[in-house]
Amino acid sequence: GEVYGDFVRLVAADLPNPGERAAFFEVLAREIRRRGCGVVVDMNGGARALGPDRRILEDLGLRVRIIHGRPREFAHAILPEGAALEDCRRELEEARRRDRSFLFGYVPDNDGDRGNLVYYDETLGRALPLEAQEVFALACAAELSCLAARRTGRFPKTPVAVAVNDPTSLRLDRIAAALGAEVHRAEVGEANVVALAAKLRSDGYIVRILGEGSNGGNITHPGEVRDPLSTVFAILKLLFLPGFRGLPGFRGLPGSEDLPGPWRVLLRALGLSDSPETEPSIAEALRILPRFRTLSSSDPTALLTIRTADHGVLKARYERIFLREWERRRRELRERFGVASWEEINHEGTVGRSGMGPEFRTGAQRGGLTILLKDPAGVSRGFLWMRGSGTEPVFRILADWEGEDEGLMRELAAWQRSMVLEADRGPEVSRP
């Protein structure tokens, strides 16, 4: 537990020097104790029930409330999405009634390598779950804001990137662009994203955070696997780290007196006033970040049972159907969605190829296929996505759309679903 705790703190602070790291956490803990913060943890009887989460968080001054903390006593589904977040959400509301310092909760999956969040919205007066895409976007906003705050002195010319899987929402592209970072995509699979991050680093990029937006959780360098405490520390830094001035290891450019904390950096990057009118909170962060609606990977409509074994054949049929549908719906897409053009991208491993047809795919052609939907200026407003499972006869689909309109996103998802199902019914179906 002690070795793991030291590594978690190394990852969170991004400071290899122990003295600098201790000073960093002293500042963070001082602010947490001053303002107060409580967190609910739903272990669901999983591996982390035996871990040091409570001690690590309490050392920072957090109040910690753990439920379902007995190993192997599973209280709900092991995937921390949808209904599996409900126990933690209810417990957070109960804790909040007794102690207003309780702000959020997290639910690890049962092998302990990721955690998705619930949070308390002061305006609404209730606790709410976060979608996996929102968790990842929030963690990226926090880590990129920390990096932007300190890179003026430490990384004046080095490019910054985030490595993600191909169904990660475009909201991340908006966040990254505001904070001076690029987004690079790989095929679904944690190993693909980690490999892409390693390649980017070898090309000279800083890759502080990476992960699969469609699954939630995140990997924070120098970590190489998802860890719920990496997500929790990202949130804590965003909400509580007051600034970097005076901290060892954080030195601005000559003459710079202002090294603001990540919250102020994020506000400035988004073109908002950074005057302290409202205290940082998860609810406020969600309100100011770019808004997208994304079909959850746990949504029943995101999973299709198919009979076509050859995914290359299925994709070729899909492309023909999409071209037909594009011509049929072109006017409607322009008038209702503002979509004027599209681009197809195929991801295989760490490589993405722009173009339609089998020459833009390789091998078994089992990677993800994305149709970017673009406005008249050529800006991607959303996408349709599909990928077949490598282990079972199912296809997963996803739609992502900018804005608040859930109905528009679901209309795109239904369109995508119908095209994939039609492709599966095509002639010369290859069976396993």
Side-chain angles (χ1 to χ4, degrees):
E2 185 175 344
V3 172
Y4 170 69
D6 288 343
F7 183 72
V8 166
R9 294 182 185 93
L10 169 65
V11 169
D14 194 22
L15 291 168
N17 182 284
E20 293 179 353
R21 197 157 62 244
F24 173 89
F25 282 110
E26 182 180 341
V27 170
L28 182 60
R30 186 188 309 135
E31 189 66 12
I32 288 173
R33 291 190 175 98
R34 184 182 73 81
R35 287 169 48 195
C37 180
V39 60
V40 173
V41 189
D42 178 0
M43 293 294 187
N44 193 30
R48 298 196 77 89
L50 297 171
D53 288 37
R54 178 190 289 276
R55 178 175 56 79
I56 290 170
L57 296 174
E58 287 181 344
D59 283 349
L60 269 179
L62 277 83
R63 300 173 178 90
V64 180
R65 187 164 177 171
I66 293 178
I67 61 173
H68 307 319
R70 292 177 64 89
R72 299 189 183 90
E73 293 187 3
F74 308 136
H76 51 71
I78 64 174
L79 188 68
E81 295 181 16
L85 300 176
E86 183 62 17
D87 284 4
C88 190
R89 190 199 66 78
R90 285 197 301 262
E91 192 69 21
L92 178 59
E93 287 191 343
E94 178 61 28
R96 178 79 180 196
R97 279 192 283 270
R98 301 178 185 180
D99 184 344
R100 290 178 60 83
S101 73
F102 274 82
L103 302 181
F104 67 99
Y106 67 97
V107 185
D109 57 6
N110 280 50
D111 59 0
D113 68 348
R114 67 165 160 163
N116 286 335
L117 304 180
V118 301
Y119 70 101
Y120 193 84
D121 189 315
E122 185 76 41
T123 302
L124 299 177
R126 58 193 177 100
L128 298 167
L130 279 171
E131 292 283 351
Q133 298 270 12
E134 293 175 312
V135 174
F136 184 66
L138 194 60
C140 287
E143 290 295 346
L144 291 175
S145 296
C146 285
L147 193 57
R150 52 194 283 190
R151 73 187 289 244
T152 54
R154 299 186 68 191
F155 319 117
K157 297 180 180 178
T158 309
V160 176
V162 183
V164 302
N165 69 357
D166 49 335
T168 296
S169 169
L170 291 175
R171 76 189 75 193
L172 183 59
D173 297 62
R174 302 286 194 272
I175 293 167
L179 290 161
E182 302 173 14
V183 175
H184 293 253
R185 284 176 160 77
E187 183 186 350
V188 164
E190 192 170 311
N192 291 321
V193 177
V194 170
L196 176 59
K199 181 181 183 302
L200 289 166
R201 291 190 190 100
S202 70
D203 291 339
Y205 284 87
I206 295 169
V207 186
R208 170 66 175 151
I209 188 167
L210 56 143
E212 298 191 276
S214 55
N215 295 327
N218 59 274
I219 302 169
T220 306
H221 187 70
E224 293 187 354
V225 295
R226 291 179 298 188
D227 189 318
L229 288 186
S230 292
T231 307
V232 169
F233 271 111
I235 302 304
L236 292 175
K237 289 184 292 185
L238 181 64
L239 302 186
F240 290 99
L241 198 59
F244 296 105
R245 186 181 178 194
L247 276 176
F250 295 84
R251 301 178 181 87
L253 293 169
S256 172
E257 295 297 323
D258 185 21
L259 281 174
W263 181 256
R264 288 178 61 198
V265 167
L266 181 60
L267 289 173
R268 291 179 184 181
L270 296 173
L272 303 171
S273 170
D274 65 351
S275 60
E277 295 178 0
T278 58
E279 198 168 80
S281 69
I282 292 177
E284 185 63 21
L286 293 172
R287 278 189 272 270
I288 66 175
L289 289 175
R291 306 305 295 269
F292 277 74
R293 296 298 182 192
T294 313
L295 188 68
S296 170
S297 60
S298 63
D299 191 295
T301 64
L303 190 66
L304 286 68
T305 300
I306 63 165
R307 53 180 182 162
T308 307
D310 188 328
H311 292 191
V313 169
L314 186 66
K315 288 175 179 176
R317 292 178 189 151
Y318 170 88
E319 289 172 335
R320 290 194 293 271
I321 292 166
F322 174 79
L323 289 174
R324 182 200 72 204
E325 287 290 295
W326 171 259
E327 292 302 321
R328 186 177 70 85
R329 300 190 62 174
R330 181 195 291 265
R331 182 174 177 180
E332 175 195 2
L333 290 166
R334 180 71 176 245
E335 292 176 352
R336 296 190 61 241
F337 293 85
V339 172
S341 63
W342 56 271
E343 178 186 4
E344 179 177 326
I345 301 178
N346 286 274
H347 286 94
E348 304 276 352
T350 61
V351 178
R353 298 177 179 86
S354 175
M356 178 173 277
E359 63 269 28
F360 297 99
R361 299 187 286 271
T362 60
Q365 303 187 44
R366 290 184 173 269
L369 185 157
T370 301
I371 302 288
L372 293 171
L373 301 172
K374 301 185 177 187
D375 66 17
V379 176
S380 295
R381 295 284 312 283
F383 63 75
L384 310 174
W385 175 87
M386 59 186 280
R387 180 180 183 270
S389 169
T391 57
E392 53 186 330
V394 297
F395 244 72
R396 288 179 171 84
I397 65 159
L398 186 145
D400 184 54
W401 186 248
E402 188 170 15
E404 299 278 4
D405 197 326
E406 176 87 6
L408 289 179
M409 180 276 289
R410 289 198 170 273
E411 188 174 331
L412 291 173
W415 183 36
Q416 174 75 337
R417 182 181 177 90
S418 69
M419 288 189 288
V420 173
L421 289 175
E422 182 181 347
D424 187 46
R425 293 193 301 269
E428 300 177 5
V429 173
S430 174
R431 295 180 180 275

